[in-house]
Amino acid sequence: MSGLHPFDPITPGEIQLATKLLQAALPGVDLRYKRIDIQEPIKKDVVPYIEAERLGKPLPPKPARLLIALFHRLDTGAFCKALLNASTRAVVSLNEMPKDVQPPVDVDEMIEIEQLCLNHPAVQAEIAKMQLPSGMRVCNDPWIYGTDDQNESRRLFQCYMYIVATDHPQNNHYAHPCKFSPVFDGLTRQLVRIDYLPSTPDHSSVETQPWRPVPGIQYAHELLEEPLRNDLKPYIVQQPEGASFSVNGNEVSWQKWKFRVGFNTREGMVIHNLNYDGRSVFYRLSVSEMTVPYGDPRAPFHRKQAFDVGDVGFGITANELTLGCDCLGHIKYFDGFRADSKGTPIQLKNVICLHEQDNGLQHKHTNYRTGAATVVRNRQLVAQMICTVGNYEYIFAFIFDQAANVELEVRATGILSTVPFDNEKPGTTVPWGTNVGPGVMAPFHQHMFSFRIDPALDGNQNTIYYEDSVPMPEDENNPYKVGYTTEQTVFKTSSTAQTSVDRHRVFKIRNDNIINPITYHPIAYKLQTSPAQMMLASKNSFGLKRAVFATKPIWVTRYRDGELFAAGEFTNQSKQSHGVEEMVERKDPVENEDVVLWHTFGLTHNPRIEDFPVMPMEKVSVMLKPDGFFTKNPALDVPQSNQLFNKSTLHPEKACCAPGQVKL
Amino acid sequence: MSGLHPFDPITPGEIQLATKLLQAALPGVDLRYKRIDIQEPIKKDVVPYIEAERLGKPLPPKPARLLIALFHRLDTGAFCKALLNASTRAVVSLNEMPKDVQPPVDVDEMIEIEQLCLNHPAVQAEIAKMQLPSGMRVCNDPWIYGTDDQNESRRLFQCYMYIVATDHPQNNHYAHPCKFSPVFDGLTRQLVRIDYLPSTPDHSSVETQPWRPVPGIQYAHELLEEPLRNDLKPYIVQQPEGASFSVNGNEVSWQKWKFRVGFNTREGMVIHNLNYDGRSVFYRLSVSEMTVPYGDPRAPFHRKQAFDVGDVGFGITANELTLGCDCLGHIKYFDGFRADSKGTPIQLKNVICLHEQDNGLQHKHTNYRTGAATVVRNRQLVAQMICTVGNYEYIFAFIFDQAANVELEVRATGILSTVPFDNEKPGTTVPWGTNVGPGVMAPFHQHMFSFRIDPALDGNQNTIYYEDSVPMPEDENNPYKVGYTTEQTVFKTSSTAQTSVDRHRVFKIRNDNIINPITYHPIAYKLQTSPAQMMLASKNSFGLKRAVFATKPIWVTRYRDGELFAAGEFTNQSKQSHGVEEMVERKDPVENEDVVLWHTFGLTHNPRIEDFPVMPMEKVSVMLKPDGFFTKNPALDVPQSNQLFNKSTLHPEKACCAPGQVKL
């Protein structure tokens, strides 16, 4: 274990050690594990280590390797949290959590609830009432239960039921939602009740009726009526000399970038200790939280609000990726590990992929007098993770380029979460959703993400501010009335801010202790935000109280160990969040301090019918760009784009291909 | 000529015909041509023709092929505009324009002014005063003269002077701006005056002094002090079976898309008659105008405001592209033609390139119960044009995909327009610019684009509206306070609108005459805008009066022949624009009419030092997406992504590559 880097993901041996330590600490008690994972190292302990690495100095002792375990005691049903020191093989703390704090779902539990539901006599009775044609059966998606009761402390799951019209492994059951939804207690395994779903524009519902058959809407190629396109020609990326990156364990080096690819079951992919050309840039980048509130006002749909990070985890939902499907070119994969509910280590193969891509031109200039052109292509390095959270897929990519930019790109795809809707009469619609097929409607919803940026621009003492572009007053200093300047607002204490398109507001991170020798301003990076509509639910709703991070696009806090999650540590069935809003409340000084910038962005997703039965990806992107961090374009030393290197081919229709001269 | 399609670009024969017709109409008069180009056909004449094409019906007679010629009479100096009918070989109209209307610059004129300036004794005298070291010389960028005088009617050019420190063909003279700027009359060729440039934070200037040598800042690889990167490995795109597109003349077919690539000297690339799967979608897409106002308040920099479309033209500044440099993969090039100042046809080779690219995943879903995944990659078709407008480069791409999306992507790169600045004393800065090197500052500025969208969704009678996402009232219909709906606002008469991030405002185009059989709403496309800060210059400035299109992000007008340009037909030295704001003023009915949507977007560009000496591209993108135009995802029939087709390779470090199973 001593060979591990402080930022390395958990190992199978560490998972086994954790269960051994907990069995010893709680002799004779059966435990059901929700999570066993690495706990982020204490920053003040790890910084000297990674600084020595960066500077090539002798390494100090490694910080303690900490583990976290979440589990239920099966004797008392209590939910416990333990902190373990794997280096000393000791239990650091072991606490029983308050009764209404729910741990996240575990994978085995989700499968168990799904089966429990299907096999339950009351559910089978409902299914029978539908009088399905022979060959059809029913499946269900167990859903996280979005609280609507301050006094609820049971562990609940709501199951959304669908008709399986064909046994094809890619059958799209979301085209056939049923009109009832059983609710189960996840600990007692008891049926709590069956909710009947509204299926008209009003809030009423009726007991289960015989199913009125409607055609399915399939995405599986074998099930499509139309033929596949046959005119798409192969497009092959060849890297005959291999990749430009090198990988040593989880450390990646590429084009002056150096960083560590981290992985945990909650956030999935994490980027640690990002350096450029030997300079420290970011300590940690991650997608800290995400919530999907639905806008359908009718019960029980208001309970559809998942926190895909806190309730489930991008790590445990990360796809095991396959060569030739998910990336193109020359691919390096990283594995992860999780514990199952018994504490057994489970390998998660190929959950992160790393590859290069070409993103068109990075810079070009032609001196029109001489015709001499400089052309540099934009080669990028992509670290990608794809998560399947029930119906939806999210594709997360950290994209690095040669001009020292880092992009977080999020693609939403997969299948809309649908509800039953009696829309056979032409013109039957609801104002909070889109008919996507006969008998099926896709309600409006939002995807709200929190991007957590822990900067370390030439050190951990950084300052965050925003800069607006504003017209100059129309006075003697601006005689022609065209002048404009910028206004800076520095975050002095932990607080929030709005984005502003009208003022071209840009958020920046700077190190006040290091002045750029040319610009005479502190060295800095800027965050190119994705200005987005914030959460639409009322401030009086549970939905919003549970996700205060989704009410403001920018949060600035002072770093504290353990504060990684925008909606708090435990989001499942939370009644209110204990996240970034509480950190901000402290009003910590944040100027020239160890500061963290949190950016909430999202998609208001009012489904198009074209998003069904599987959704063309919707892309959102935010970028971190140097802004006075260097003294000139850092990509100047990238070799020129040329035909010898690129080996492009000419469309045959045309024979001539003399190199062109650029003219004005 | 009868073989030409109505949307084909001008031919050399048509240019020659135009000069012949004009010589005959004005016998004995010497003419200096500014432009000879195709005039967009009359819509009512061309629609029956392209509709017959679309439906595979017998073609009606072609509409008349119209040409436009702009020229100066060398006898009187008058600026004239002629409309010609190439089909009947007739002059349709020939008008002398008012005295203060200036035609755009012509290529020969730009070169002549540049030489005139360099050779002028007064300029040479100024150069001598700089006492440049031996081996150094001076060059200049002639600039469009942004009017600041209501009574000015001369044709003026302002020349910005730079020191050429080395004779390398890629010398970056923008690192060494001189402190004087001669102004010339473009018709009389007389020196009007020499402006001395401010080079301190105040507005004062001094007469030319000996140059104080400072190091250059070069981008040419041969001139860099640091070595080039040697660790970038080749990345080759192979299309062994060729491209998936086919080209017939200027008609392109690709993956159910069909359109015509148009080209003219003013807008450059234009997309005509865009159909998808046999359905009409857009009549015409183009970048209608662009202006770059500078925010430096000091004279004469307030006169730096170019209209790169109207004053110069993206067609004449389009780069002649080279295989292996500007695109990757399998490339088809299109040529264009322009007339020189004598009316001689000049071929513009390879000014548009067409190629496919892979843009990662388009859609993916894994049925977690079966592990069965559907994965479709996002193949795109890119039609690209790169324009060098003096110091800057703009890369325009129309990007088509298999889910019926069209994207307009704009990349800004090239070199910042710099000014001299005495910044040797540490801390010397201005609030309207960035020091990018010793003695050189890059002022803040904006790039404002107008994207003109002429829709034809299943016909030319379309309606434009916007849709906001708004919370439902907290009443009995919204008991849990999470409900939200949309509010539609239809444009009834020609008018403008703001974007709104807070309301998630989406602009849509629909055909009220065709109802989607599933959604029960009219078939539609949506415009994914790029919300941006509008122009910062005061409404009392010439800068803003000349570019009213840049004050609002959305303009909706009724189609009229000839109304293609957001800032009006003649922008050079304009005192006010006569563009989209005048079309809107008519208050034409636009509901269920032949309507045009204009989107102004842009970049407020406060230079980073990393943007110098050549700028990593800054990207802006707007998209047109089907929204109820189809009855399901139109990309469902795209074949699955697989290794047999994609031929990816595995990073060698790791041997195992079993196909992964996706787990929840």
Side-chain angles (χ1 to χ4, degrees), chain A residues 140-141 324 331 369 423 520 646, chain B residues 140-141 324 369 423 520 646:
Chain A
N140 75 94
D141 280 11
I331 325 290
R369 291 169 189 78
N423 59 12
Y520 302 136
N646 294 332
Chain B
N140 74 95
D141 281 9
R369 290 167 190 79
N423 58 12
Y520 303 136
N646 293 331

Side-chain angles (χ1 to χ4, degrees), chain B residues 176-241:
Chain B
H176 293 315
C178 303
K179 296 183 180 176
F180 63 97
S181 169
V183 174
F184 287 91
D185 185 313
L187 286 180
T188 67
R189 304 299 203 222
Q190 297 299 305
L191 176 68
V192 172
R193 67 173 184 275
I194 291 181
D195 288 332
Y196 294 99
L197 306 182
S199 65
T200 64
D202 69 36
H203 291 241
S204 65
S205 59
V206 293
E207 295 210 355
T208 303
Q209 305 291 317
W211 182 59
R212 183 190 167 119
V214 289
I217 302 160
Q218 298 289 359
Y219 61 86
H221 285 156
E222 295 87 346
L223 303 177
L224 292 182
E225 283 172 23
E226 63 271 29
L228 290 192
R229 301 183 190 206
N230 57 10
D231 54 353
L232 190 69
K233 303 288 172 60
Y235 182 102
I236 298 165
V237 170
Q238 282 215 331
Q239 299 190 258
E241 299 178 23

Side-chain angles (χ1 to χ4, degrees), chain A residues 563-629:
Chain A
E563 290 188 339
L564 293 175
F565 308 121
E569 187 174 10
F570 299 110
T571 57
N572 190 6
Q573 286 177 248
S574 64
K575 280 133 194 166
Q576 65 173 98
S577 50
H578 299 285
V580 71
E581 73 281 9
E582 295 186 351
M583 306 172 206
V584 155
E585 261 317 296
R586 291 195 302 260
K587 304 212 180 304
D588 290 330
V590 292
E591 193 178 1
N592 206 17
E593 294 280 353
D594 188 358
V595 67
V596 180
L597 173 58
W598 313 65
H599 176 32
T600 303
F601 61 95
L603 289 165
T604 294
H605 185 190
N606 306 340
R608 307 178 300 156
I609 190 168
E610 287 85 353
D611 293 336
F612 201 67
V614 59
M615 175 183 164
M617 60 87 184
E618 196 80 29
K619 186 159 69 175
V620 200
S621 143
V622 298
M623 272 184 103
L624 292 158
K625 305 180 111 171
D627 192 344
F629 192 73

